[in-house]
Amino acid sequence: MTAPKLGAWLSDDNTAVAEIVAGLGYDFVILDIEHGPFDLVTIEKFIPLLKGLGLTVLAKTLAPERAPISQPLDFGADGVIIPHIENLEHARRTTAFAKFPPLGDRSAAGGRTISYGGFTEQYYPDADASTLCFPMIEDAGAFDDVEAILALDTVDGVFIGPTDLSLRRGRGHYTRSEEDFADIAHVAEVAAAAGKPWVLPAWSPEEKQLAIKHGASYVALTMVHGAISEGFANAKRTMDDLLAG
Ligand code: 3PY
Ligand code: MG
């Protein structure tokens, strides 16, 4: 089994955090553009900084729409994670925005994507081959259609959103229940059968174990807010314990 790539979930453009995770040997980062305060000017500057630190950059896009998908790619992201894919048809339409014609429907940006030079015939297939497109499985319709979604040529793998998936599969709050883990295992099995990677945000030891057991190719180990609050909580606990004698 090949070892999974290990990632950090970034909700803002903190340079020190980027340097810390790169220094610790993390392989990739997820920019949570969907839920974080990123604007276009910020990601245009932050993506090359991350890449300069040797990190693979996966952008969780603002929405499953054309411009939010192509803009992070235009700024140099290695791939996109597309939230709230509703079903196969929606996946077909939106994942196309990450790949150029004839495969898909991505718009040719120039600029950074072609090293500020000119387009060549070979640029397009090369960019399609190296750009990762991971639609999210976090809606009930996408879960039902996951096999057909994974069969799309514009799809390089799938990214599971356990929290939204639990809400939308009628289980309410994500509790890391047996049913939650069965859904994740099902997506993992379908991805394995398709020969494509799957990705899991795995904050708890149980989720990390699940990711290992089912051969996730990319595992996000913690999110920046969780890591920071854990660090501050530890320091305060130490001091509280010392004060209590
Ligand atoms: C979800 O769990 O819903 C996500 O979007 C990723 O953590
Ligand atoms: Mg979600």
Side-chain angles (χ1 to χ4, degrees), residues 159-199:
F159 188 106
I160 302 175
T163 307
D164 276 311
L165 189 62
S166 178
L167 291 171
R168 285 164 180 74
R169 293 261 298 153
R171 294 190 294 273
H173 169 55
Y174 174 52
T175 57
R176 302 175 177 85
S177 67
E178 256 178 57
E179 292 79 10
D180 291 319
F181 281 17
D183 274 6
I184 294 170
H186 170 71
V187 173
E189 278 156 25
V190 176
K196 292 187 180 177
W198 69 283
V199 193

Side-chain angles (χ1 to χ4, degrees), residues 34-215:
E34 184 192 10
H35 295 300
F38 293 100
D39 59 28
L40 287 176
V41 173
T42 302
I43 59 170
E44 193 273 337
K45 294 185 193 328
F46 196 41
I47 289 172
L49 184 147
L50 293 163
K51 294 200 51 82
L53 290 169
L55 294 159
T56 295
V57 179
L58 301 178
K60 184 166 180 260
T61 68
L62 184 64
E65 291 163 14
R66 177 189 284 277
I69 291 167
S70 63
Q71 282 162 336
L73 297 176
D74 295 349
F75 299 148
D78 298 288
V80 282
I81 296 161
I82 307 174
H84 291 294
I85 295 294
E86 291 163 17
N87 50 39
L88 172 62
E89 227 13 76
H90 192 218
R92 190 194 310 280
R93 208 162 1 102
T94 54
T95 59
F97 298 136
K99 307 281 180 176
F100 292 112
L103 178 57
D105 191 24
R106 179 175 168 190
S107 183
R112 184 175 290 158
T113 61
I114 51 168
S115 306
Y116 306 99
F119 288 105
T120 62
E121 196 63 42
Q122 195 52 39
Y123 162 70
Y124 301 99
D126 286 352
D128 287 346
S130 64
T131 299
L132 296 168
C133 178
F134 295 148
M136 285 192 70
I137 306 300
E138 60 176 348
D139 284 49
F143 182 85
D144 293 341
D145 289 350
V146 66
E147 197 172 343
I149 290 172
L150 272 156
L152 292 171
D153 289 339
T154 47
V155 167
D156 297 294
V158 288
F159 188 106
I160 302 175
T163 307
D164 276 311
L165 189 62
S166 178
L167 291 171
R168 285 164 180 74
R169 293 261 298 153
R171 294 190 294 273
H173 169 55
Y174 174 52
T175 57
R176 302 175 177 85
S177 67
E178 256 178 57
E179 292 79 10
D180 291 319
F181 281 17
D183 274 6
I184 294 170
H186 170 71
V187 173
E189 278 156 25
V190 176
K196 292 187 180 177
W198 69 283
V199 193
L200 188 68
W203 309 155
S204 68
E206 294 75 20
E207 290 160 310
K208 289 178 174 64
Q209 191 55 50
L210 188 72
I212 293 167
K213 182 174 166 200
H214 292 279

Side-chain angles (χ1 to χ4, degrees), residues 23-38:
L24 287 170
Y26 278 67
D27 302 298
F28 73 97
V29 292
I30 293 166
L31 300 186
D32 190 2
I33 300 168
E34 184 192 10
H35 295 300
F38 293 100

